[in-house]
Amino acid sequence: MALIQKMIKFPMLFKMIKYRAFFKKGSENKVMVYFAGGGVSINEETARDDTYNTKEIRMDMLANITMNMGGLASEVEGSPFENWSIILFPYATGDFHAGAGEFRYTDHDGKEKILYHNGYVNYTQTMQKITELADMKEPEAVVVTGYSAGGFAAALLSDDIFTNYFPDAESKNVLVDASLLLHDDWKSIATAA
């Protein structure tokens, strides 16, 4: 059985592009929320140089490969998460799945462009739609995880997930995987962006 049983499509605000998230309904009353990684766009240089993953590999292809090649959410026999419901957020916006705005910059050719940091918008619309359609109101356990940029999303959004979507879960855990980003200007990036 393939991990990806349903794709749910949502329009991103600010721009008419479809965002896809993946969902698998498990047989156990447990949920994993998984954020894919793929780099980050934090300033004009990283926006211009496309240092986050959107063009090299399609976002859904990367997420599918990651999830079905032995990762936490793959259906490997004997995995503790084998029968869990899984919500997977592919990475498309360069904003740790946490943005809700536009970033204007100038590309290498001097052309004005807009980078749509809509990760939080995508996440919120996806969570609302999946929890509504899949009837996952009171799971026994919830794990919020992600790797690389998705690990930052897991850390940033886990409280929102636990508070607004699964407040009555008996077990709540966050697993941040391989998220290290050294930069001297994080304070102004976080406050000005």
Side-chain angles (χ1 to χ4, degrees):
M1 178 168 75
L3 169 72
I4 300 162
Q5 293 181 346
K6 263 189 188 179
M7 282 197 302
I8 297 182
K9 297 181 181 181
F10 301 95
M12 294 171 62
L13 296 182
F14 309 114
K15 189 173 180 183
M16 299 311 290
I17 292 178
K18 300 288 183 185
Y19 175 79
R20 290 183 294 270
F22 299 108
F23 173 69
K24 178 194 91 163
K25 180 74 171 170
S27 59
E28 292 184 51
N29 188 23
K30 298 175 180 177
V31 177
M32 176 188 291
V33 179
Y34 201 122
F35 294 97
V40 65
S41 173
I42 55 173
N43 55 26
E44 190 160 1
E45 178 184 354
T46 56
R48 185 174 41 246
D49 293 340
D50 195 18
T51 59
Y52 64 100
N53 183 35
T54 58
K55 294 181 182 171
E56 293 176 19
I57 304 173
R58 289 185 3 240
M59 68 178 181
D60 51 345
M61 176 191 250
L62 177 63
N64 188 22
I65 289 169
T66 301
M67 300 304 286
N68 287 311
M69 298 301 229
L72 280 177
S74 44
E75 292 188 344
V76 175
E77 189 174 331
S79 165
F81 305 107
E82 182 178 9
N83 299 311
W84 286 44
S85 291
I86 306 212
I87 304 167
L88 167 65
F89 291 90
Y91 196 51
T93 54
D95 62 2
F96 296 149
H97 299 272
E102 301 175 355
F103 180 74
R104 297 179 185 278
Y105 68 99
T106 305
D107 71 9
H108 289 290
D109 298 325
K111 185 177 177 184
E112 293 293 317
K113 290 195 169 180
I114 300 173
L115 180 59
Y116 296 90
H117 283 165
N118 292 317
Y120 185 75
V121 175
N122 296 335
Y123 151 78
T124 302
Q125 289 180 357
T126 299
M127 287 299 291
Q128 290 170 352
K129 193 66 159 176
I130 289 176
T131 53
E132 171 193 322
L133 293 175
D135 191 33
M136 296 187 305
K137 292 179 177 63
E138 296 181 25
E140 297 168 27
V142 177
V143 169
V144 179
T145 189
Y147 63 91
S148 191
F152 288 99
L156 291 166
L157 298 172
S158 58
D159 184 60
D160 186 69
I161 291 166
F162 297 146
T163 303
N164 296 317
Y165 299 101
F166 307 114
D168 298 324
E170 296 171 26
S171 174
K172 300 174 185 178
N173 292 283
V174 179
L175 173 62
V176 174
D177 183 18
S179 298
L180 174 64
L181 194 56
L182 303 176
H183 195 280
D184 293 337
D185 199 26
W186 275 120
K187 182 176 181 183
S188 67
I189 290 166
T191 57

